[in-house]
Amino acid sequence: MCYHAFNGAFRHYVCVACRLSFKGSTWPIRKRICPGCRQELVFAGYDFAAPRRRDAKAWSVVGTVLAEGLTYDHRPGCGCSRLPSFRPRTQSQVRVRRRAAKRLGLPLSVTLARRDAFTPEIRDENPPSPSATEPDTT
C-alpha cells in the first residue's frame, strides 16, 4: 500500500526566488502563496530536502530541476515503484546534463533524471509501443 496516497501532510512547496520551503497538506485544495514575494509556491515533491537558505548554488540547482517540471520524489509516481529517481545536487551535475541534452538532442528534463547523463535508462528511452497497447482486431 502506498504511504503517500493516504498522507497528504508531506507535500513540499518552495519559492526559489526567496529560498523558502514549506510543508503543506492537500486539504483544502488552494493556491499556496509565498509570504515574502507573494508569488505562487511550486510543488517540489514528497521527498524534497531544502538546502540552507544562504546556499545560492544549491537553490539554483533546485530552480533548474523544478523549472523542467521534475519533482523530488525518490520513487517515481506515488512511491510504490522500485526504480529510484535521480536529481542533480550540484551545478556541475546540471552542466554535464545540459551538455548531454544538447549533444543527444533530448529534452533537459530527460537528462536531469538520469544517473549518468549519457547512458539511456529504461524509463526514459522505451515508451510503450502502440501495438502493445492496442488490441488486435484481425
Side-chain angles (χ1 to χ4, degrees):
M1 190 65 61
C2 177
Y3 177 74
H4 294 306
F6 297 105
N7 192 345
F10 293 103
R11 290 179 177 230
H12 294 263
Y13 297 89
V14 300
C15 177
V16 178
C18 298
R19 299 185 206 151
L20 295 173
S21 73
F22 302 94
K23 291 181 185 176
S25 170
T26 58
W27 303 96
I29 297 173
R30 60 184 167 88
K31 279 182 144 180
R32 287 167 172 74
I33 305 295
C34 174
C37 65
R38 308 301 298 166
Q39 297 294 322
E40 190 171 350
L41 296 174
V42 179
F43 174 65
Y46 292 104
D47 299 322
F48 177 71
R52 293 193 182 270
R53 192 168 182 188
R54 63 181 166 259
D55 191 357
K57 292 179 181 180
W59 276 100
S60 70
V61 173
V62 169
T64 303
V65 170
L66 294 176
E68 288 299 318
L70 300 173
T71 59
Y72 286 88
D73 291 325
H74 292 294
R75 305 267 182 212
C78 65
C80 296
S81 106
R82 295 177 186 225
L83 291 174
S85 297
F86 173 80
R87 298 294 179 259
R89 296 180 61 113
T90 62
Q91 288 181 334
S92 64
Q93 289 176 339
V94 172
R95 278 193 302 270
V96 167
R97 279 151 183 78
R98 282 186 200 267
R99 277 189 235 122
K102 187 175 179 181
R103 188 177 299 165
L104 299 173
L106 294 171
L108 181 58
S109 61
V110 172
T111 57
L112 283 175
R114 290 180 174 177
R115 290 195 183 281
D116 182 20
F118 292 98
T119 305
E121 292 186 3
I122 295 169
R123 65 176 165 260
D124 62 11
E125 294 294 332
N126 295 332
S129 63
S131 61
T133 58
E134 296 176 5
D136 190 18
T137 57
T138 57

